[in-house]
Amino acid sequence: MLAGIDYFIVIAYIIGMLLLGLYFKKFVNSSEDYFLGGKSLPFWAIGMSIVVSDIGALDFVGVSGQAYRYGISVGNFDWVGSVPAMLLAAFIFIPYFWRGGMYTIPEYLGRRYNQKVRTIASVTWILFFALDLGVLFWASAVLLNVLMGWPIWISILATAGVVGLYTYFGGITAVIMTDVVQFIIMFIGGFALVFLSLYEVGGWDNMVDKIATMGPEYRNHFDIIQPQDTKSPFPWTGILFGLTFVMANAYMIGNQSIVQRCLTAKNEWHAKASMIFGSALKMFIPILVLFPGLMAVVVHPGLEDGDQALPMMIKSILPPGLVGLMFAAFFAGLMSSVDSLLNSTATLFTKDIYEPFIKKGADDKHYLKVGQITTLVLLLIGVATSPISSDFPGIYVAIQTFMSYFQGPIFAILLLGIFWKRTTEWGGLSALVIGIGFAVYLNVFKEQFFTIEDPFLYISWWSFLLGFIINVVVSLLTKKHTEEQLKGLVFSSKILVENKKL
Amino acid sequence: MFNFDWLSGVSQETAKMIFLSLYALIGLLVLLLPTEYVYQGIAKEDRHWWNNLKLWSIAVLCILASIYNHF
């Protein structure tokens, strides 16, 4: 379905990304440059990068599909599921990490608890990111193939080649600055679809009126707050307890690929501002990914599979040229997700595994090279393992579910670690292990415990709560850390007024 | 218990008020932050109202609250 102009736009976009990314090679002279951009980046670039790396090509289709089925309540994930957590991160957690000169979240956990907690957290993230890479390659390529007829292996190799080259040479600076362009492309492509779709349905009010007359199943389509007994996965109780209190915070505060971007900021103000600016941009994401799904209810009613909503809208609404732009937006989503995974995993491996366990005290150039080689190896693993995904159709969802096991317990230990001096290494370790185990147990036996379709929000809340309680109880039963051990690692009102180096 | 059945009596309107109250509480906490802290990293002579992160945060929260109020 791509016309000549569309091919031109997509190819120009891919070449442009490659050239832009390679330009930043000249700024990489040390491991700090490679992993933290030499702590020189401005808030606006980091904010855009945080937002775009969070939206993949699959999310465009998946969220539109959910909006088609469940309505506007899907927007909770980018609204209440992001903004409060990003403000908490901006004012409390990010300044600690930034002032402490940290590279990774597990590094903080290692300083606050012990090396075991750091290693468990780091290995879990590395496994998740590495598995996700191959799956993401394959799932996105299949999506692009279905949507545009683009050959699967060309998608994979083009993405791997371009992203691999600029991430290998330019490190996180190249990742963030290419994300800025990807953000702009994504917004232009997404808004073009939204505006043309709105025109097609006769405006917002007309669309709301039409959907309201389509039957009882659409009764709550424009209620952002869904009742507690809804059959959709988004009851307000799940949104409040599971999403707002746990998953959003775990994601914005405990996710290496998000936090690492803020650590590249040129000073503390830019680090905080990047999160707040990102939270403002985040509020526009539902317009891009959710509204087309809502409008498809009017334009293409009765679709059996909600995930067909966005492809149908693209085919029926967009003219040549804009299809290419939308395709470039999908590519932008894929590239920004892949470059994040590559750079974050390389950072975790180099700083949390290689440096402490394999070669301590080497010179900085050595760690820079290790980071670059890790990037390359990960990329090759991702490409080589991507076809395996075709044999396991549910693997993408399975990996995301696997990650949700981890969110509650990791947030429990981060929260107590920073706010409660009495938390001990054994408290943190047992909370992490038992909390993850409990989340797995709840998920395996979810039919016995939960009444809603997909209870991941509830599972994250209950595993967080158990992790929190375990951490408190075990900490009270074990030997507390000394003041010297906790220096600069636990929240103190002093940090609010003193600019002391931690 | 795992399904929050004990909150089934709470109406959607009340639930919406809980969310709006949460935003108001966060806004209040942001306002309580020392001004010195939100400007940390910027030289004293370069501090203006437009780079006051409290104002940025309040603006974002107001937009968020208006979305939840509308829908």
Side-chain angles (χ1 to χ4, degrees):
Chain A
M1 64 181 282
L2 291 177
I5 178 91
D6 298 320
Y7 279 106
F8 174 77
I9 289 172
V10 173
I11 291 168
Y13 163 75
I14 291 173
I15 293 171
M17 281 300 99
L18 180 62
L19 295 177
L20 178 69
L22 289 177
Y23 169 77
F24 292 99
K25 178 187 173 199
K26 64 180 180 182
F27 298 109
V28 177
N29 297 307
S30 67
S31 65
E32 188 185 73
D33 294 337
Y34 194 71
F35 297 125
L36 296 181
K39 287 201 158 192
S40 62
L41 298 181
F43 77 89
W44 53 268
I46 301 168
M48 287 180 175
S49 179
I50 288 172
V51 174
V52 76
S53 63
D54 191 28
I55 304 293
L58 296 170
D59 299 308
F60 264 101
V61 173
V63 177
S64 287
Q66 287 188 321
Y68 187 90
R69 285 191 293 270
Y70 306 119
I72 206 162
S73 59
V74 186
N76 279 306
F77 284 83
D78 289 299
W79 289 325
V80 72
S82 293
V83 175
M86 291 175 94
L87 295 184
L88 179 68
F91 288 121
I92 302 296
F93 287 87
I94 296 298
Y96 264 84
F97 300 152
W98 191 91
R99 289 182 189 190
M102 290 169 203
Y103 283 75
T104 70
I105 304 294
E107 189 181 347
Y108 169 78
L109 293 173
R111 288 193 206 175
R112 177 64 185 84
Y113 292 102
N114 61 22
Q115 193 63 31
K116 290 189 192 76
V117 175
R118 177 182 185 176
T119 308
I120 289 174
S122 192
V123 167
T124 308
W125 277 113
I126 291 170
L127 276 177
F128 169 69
F129 284 155
L131 278 172
D132 208 22
L133 197 58
V135 173
L136 191 67
F137 268 136
W138 188 260
S140 304
V142 168
L143 172 76
L144 295 174
N145 177 260
V146 172
L147 286 179
M148 313 284 181
W150 194 269
I152 287 176
W153 277 103
I154 290 192
S155 287
I156 292 177
L157 293 176
T159 310
V162 173
V163 173
L165 274 172
Y166 74 65
T167 311
Y168 177 86
F169 287 111
I172 198 160
T173 308
V175 168
I176 289 176
M177 297 316 283
T178 51
D179 279 355
V180 169
V181 180
Q182 285 158 2
F183 174 93
I184 293 166
I185 301 270
M186 192 182 280
F187 265 56
I188 293 173
F191 272 111
L193 178 64
V194 169
F195 284 124
L196 290 174
S197 303
L198 261 181
Y199 179 77
E200 181 74 18
V201 299
W204 177 264
D205 291 339
N206 200 36
M207 176 188 71
V208 173
D209 291 343
K210 280 184 179 166
I211 291 178
T213 60
M214 291 177 82
E217 67 267 36
Y218 295 100
R219 193 183 55 195
N220 292 325
H221 240 56
F222 290 93
D223 291 341
I224 197 161
I225 303 294
Q226 296 285 312
Q228 181 272 337
D229 57 355
T230 179
K231 291 294 172 197
S232 85
F234 317 121
W236 74 266
T237 41
I239 294 294
L240 184 67
F241 291 97
L243 179 64
T244 311
F245 291 159
V246 180
M247 288 192 82
N249 292 305
Y251 188 76
M252 292 299 169
I253 295 160
N255 186 326
Q256 174 67 21
S257 69
I258 297 287
V259 172
Q260 190 180 342
R261 282 166 162 72
C262 298
L263 301 180
T264 65
K266 61 169 89 170
N267 62 36
E268 189 180 319
W269 183 88
H270 279 267
K272 290 174 189 156
S274 65
M275 267 286 180
I276 302 170
F277 181 60
S279 74
L281 297 176
K282 260 275 187 187
M283 288 194 291
F284 291 97
I285 296 298
I287 299 174
L288 300 185
V289 296
L290 183 159
F291 283 19
L294 283 176
M295 290 180 250
V297 177
V298 175
V299 181
H300 300 288
L303 291 177
E304 279 191 18
D305 179 6
D307 287 352
Q308 284 299 311
L310 187 69
M312 296 288 279
M313 291 298 279
I314 293 173
K315 281 179 184 168
S316 60
I317 303 269
L318 290 183
L322 283 179
V323 173
L325 197 62
M326 194 67 207
F327 187 41
F330 282 133
F331 244 115
L334 173 58
M335 285 183 170
S336 60
S337 303
V338 171
D339 63 23
S340 298
L341 288 180
L342 285 177
N343 192 262
S344 297
T345 316
T347 311
L348 286 166
F349 176 76
T350 309
K351 303 306 285 188
D352 294 329
I353 307 295
Y354 187 85
E355 199 172 324
F357 292 113
I358 299 173
K359 190 162 185 175
K360 264 185 194 167
D363 65 66
D364 187 66
K365 291 281 180 202
H366 178 78
Y367 295 123
L368 168 62
K369 191 46 78 182
V370 170
Q372 289 180 313
I373 292 171
T374 308
T375 303
L376 199 61
V377 170
L378 280 166
L379 191 72
L380 293 175
I381 291 173
V383 172
T385 57
S386 62
I388 297 171
S389 305
S390 63
D391 297 329
F392 302 97
I395 195 168
Y396 180 76
V397 176
I399 287 177
Q400 302 305 317
T401 308
F402 164 74
M403 207 53 238
S404 73
Y405 299 157
F406 195 57
Q407 304 276 35
I410 195 87
F411 182 54
I413 65 169
L414 268 171
L415 193 70
L416 281 169
I418 211 156
F419 281 114
W420 194 41
K421 280 185 178 180
R422 189 64 184 80
T423 315
T424 67
E425 54 189 301
W426 288 110
L429 189 60
S430 40
L432 196 60
V433 173
I434 296 172
I436 293 173
F438 185 58
V440 173
Y441 172 76
L442 286 179
N443 195 61
V444 170
F445 297 102
K446 61 186 174 191
E447 281 82 12
Q448 294 175 27
F449 293 113
F450 302 104
T451 51
I452 59 174
E453 201 176 296
D454 186 0
F456 67 101
L457 292 174
Y458 286 160
I459 290 174
S460 66
W461 164 258
W462 293 117
S463 59
F464 161 78
L465 193 64
L466 184 71
F468 191 95
I469 292 167
I470 294 281
N471 199 344
V472 170
V473 172
V474 175
S475 293
L476 288 173
L477 294 174
T478 48
K479 190 183 168 191
K480 67 179 177 183
H481 294 280
T482 62
E483 288 291 328
E484 190 55 32
Q485 286 173 312
L486 297 176
K487 197 175 174 187
L489 296 170
V490 180
F491 183 81
S492 152
S493 56
K494 283 181 186 168
I495 196 176
L496 297 177
V497 288
E498 289 178 18
N499 189 22
K500 60 178 185 180
K501 183 83 178 167
L502 294 178
Chain B
M1 183 188 80
F2 283 122
N3 292 290
F4 291 88
D5 308 324
W6 42 282
L7 287 172
S8 59
V10 177
S11 70
Q12 278 172 273
E13 286 307 308
T14 309
K16 187 180 274 194
M17 287 310 296
I18 293 172
F19 281 87
L20 291 172
S21 306
L22 178 69
Y23 304 148
L25 175 67
I26 296 168
L28 187 68
L29 291 173
V30 168
L31 286 174
L32 288 173
L33 289 169
T35 306
E36 173 67 22
Y37 179 65
V38 298
Y39 279 124
Q40 203 70 255
I42 296 186
K44 288 240 180 337
E45 60 274 17
D46 294 329
R47 296 179 181 183
H48 307 285
W49 65 267
W50 64 80
N51 49 23
N52 182 342
L53 296 178
K54 282 190 201 182
L55 293 182
W56 291 27
S57 306
I58 297 298
V60 169
L61 285 167
C62 285
I63 298 169
L64 186 65
S66 67
I67 292 169
Y68 278 74
N69 189 45
H70 182 76
F71 292 110

